[in-house]
Amino acid sequence: MNVAGTTYTKSATQTFAVTGTPIVNVYDTAGTVTIHQGNVEQVIVQITKSIRTLDSNGAQRALDATNITTTQSGNTVTVDGHFTTRWQDGVWYN
């Protein structure tokens, strides 16, 4: 189903220092994942959440409710996205 309206986004960037070859684990049930190889000893995770709706207040609540966690253990960086579908303010969000 296409929802007419404006697309609202919320972005964050995190940088993790690593030594040697990093391992990046991504658990993502929706969206797009792009990985770029670099020459520096770091992993940069840029997260952009987006929602299309008619209501900016509802969009902000939905963006805040979408949890994406990033953790590091040694040279392993894990990105875990938790997406839910729910009825809010008369509109389905996912």
Side-chain angles (χ1 to χ4, degrees):
M1 174 174 90
N2 289 331
V3 176
T6 303
T7 299
Y8 298 89
T9 62
K10 185 173 186 178
S11 297
T13 301
Q14 292 183 289
T15 302
F16 300 92
V18 294
T19 57
T21 303
I23 297 170
V24 179
N25 296 315
V26 179
Y27 303 97
D28 182 38
T29 58
T32 303
V33 176
T34 304
I35 298 176
H36 300 278
Q37 181 177 340
N39 293 325
V40 293
E41 293 182 335
Q42 62 184 6
V43 172
I44 300 170
V45 177
Q46 181 179 12
I47 299 167
T48 302
K49 300 183 279 185
S50 63
I51 186 168
R52 183 184 308 245
T53 185
L54 297 173
D55 175 33
S56 64
N57 291 327
Q60 188 59 52
R61 287 191 298 277
L63 289 169
D64 290 342
T66 303
N67 297 314
I68 301 173
T69 58
T70 54
T71 56
Q72 180 178 13
S73 177
N75 284 335
T76 300
V77 175
T78 301
V79 181
D80 193 358
H82 302 279
F83 305 94
T84 59
T85 300
R86 67 191 174 287
W87 182 262
Q88 176 178 308
D89 300 329
V91 177
W92 281 106
Y93 291 95
N94 68 13

